[in-house]
């Protein structure tokens, strides 16, 4: 039954159906965790873990499309952690922290080394049902426009 409810809330019914959220509103009902390598650098520079312009633009797009968003790695670290081409300081200067997964030539470039490409974005549960829609108790959880 929950799967059917999810299909309805995701637009599985006709365009005139009251189960569709108003235009411009998110259709997401459940919390969402988006994790992975998203291939944009969240860091402003190799030694600056503050948010890059590209990161801010992507986060704003996620927020406007899916609602409130939290970057779990940033929230726990206080900056964007290096997840690709990390380096460490040694007696010989700055040296690669690992040499197996990253092409050696990457370490020669200030723009390619010490990047944050991996993310854990959390989107909390949204209020359900969307404003203006009530839950029809007799219909097994189907949405109606009748006052709740």
């Amino acid at each position: 039954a929950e799967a059917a409810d999810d299909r309805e809330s995701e637009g599985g019914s006709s365009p005139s159906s009251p189960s569709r959220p108003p235009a411009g509103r998110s259709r997401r009902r459940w919390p969402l965790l988006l994790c992975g390598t998203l291939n944009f650098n969240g860091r402003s520079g190799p030694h600056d873990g503050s948010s890059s312009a590209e990161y801010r633009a992507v986060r704003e797009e996620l927020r406007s499309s899916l609602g409130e968003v939290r970057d779990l790695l940033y929230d726990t670290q206080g900056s964007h952690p290096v997840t690709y081409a990390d380096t460490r300081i040694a007696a010989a200067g700055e040296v690669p922290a690992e040499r197996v997964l990253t092409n050696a030539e990457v370490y020669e470039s200030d723009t390619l080394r010490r990047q944050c490409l991996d993310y854990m974005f959390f989107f909390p549960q949204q209020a359900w049902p969307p404003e203006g829609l009530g839950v029809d108790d007799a219909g097994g959880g189907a949405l109606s426009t009748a006052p709740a």
Side-chain angles (χ1 to χ4, degrees):
E2 285 182 355
D5 290 346
D6 287 342
R7 281 192 300 277
E8 284 183 32
S9 69
E10 292 299 320
S13 53
S14 68
S16 62
S17 168
S19 66
R20 292 196 79 145
R25 303 237 0 214
S26 175
R27 296 180 297 199
R28 187 174 53 78
R29 179 176 181 180
W30 304 106
L32 173 67
L33 184 61
L34 172 63
C35 303
T37 302
L38 301 184
N39 291 328
F40 66 88
N41 188 9
R43 295 172 61 88
S44 291
H47 298 283
D48 182 358
S50 65
S51 299
S52 67
E54 185 176 23
Y55 170 85
R56 290 189 304 271
V58 169
R59 185 172 168 149
E60 177 56 29
E61 181 62 32
L62 290 171
R63 188 205 58 75
S64 67
S65 299
L66 296 170
E68 178 187 351
V69 58
R70 292 181 39 209
D71 183 336
L72 300 180
L73 293 177
Y74 185 88
D75 289 352
T76 59
Q77 299 291 315
S79 65
H80 294 285
V82 174
T83 63
Y84 177 73
D86 197 5
T87 60
R88 59 184 170 78
I89 303 298
E94 194 172 10
V95 296
E98 65 84 22
R99 298 172 188 258
V100 176
L101 300 174
T102 307
N103 186 327
E105 294 159 1
V106 168
Y107 291 106
E108 298 170 15
S109 167
D110 278 344
T111 58
L112 296 178
R113 66 185 165 90
R114 299 186 53 83
Q115 296 187 58
C116 178
L117 305 178
D118 303 303
Y119 301 91
M120 293 178 69
F121 288 117
F122 176 68
F123 303 85
Q125 181 174 0
Q126 296 180 328
W128 190 260
E131 187 176 309
L133 297 178
V135 176
D136 177 8
D137 293 328
L143 295 176
S144 72
T145 54

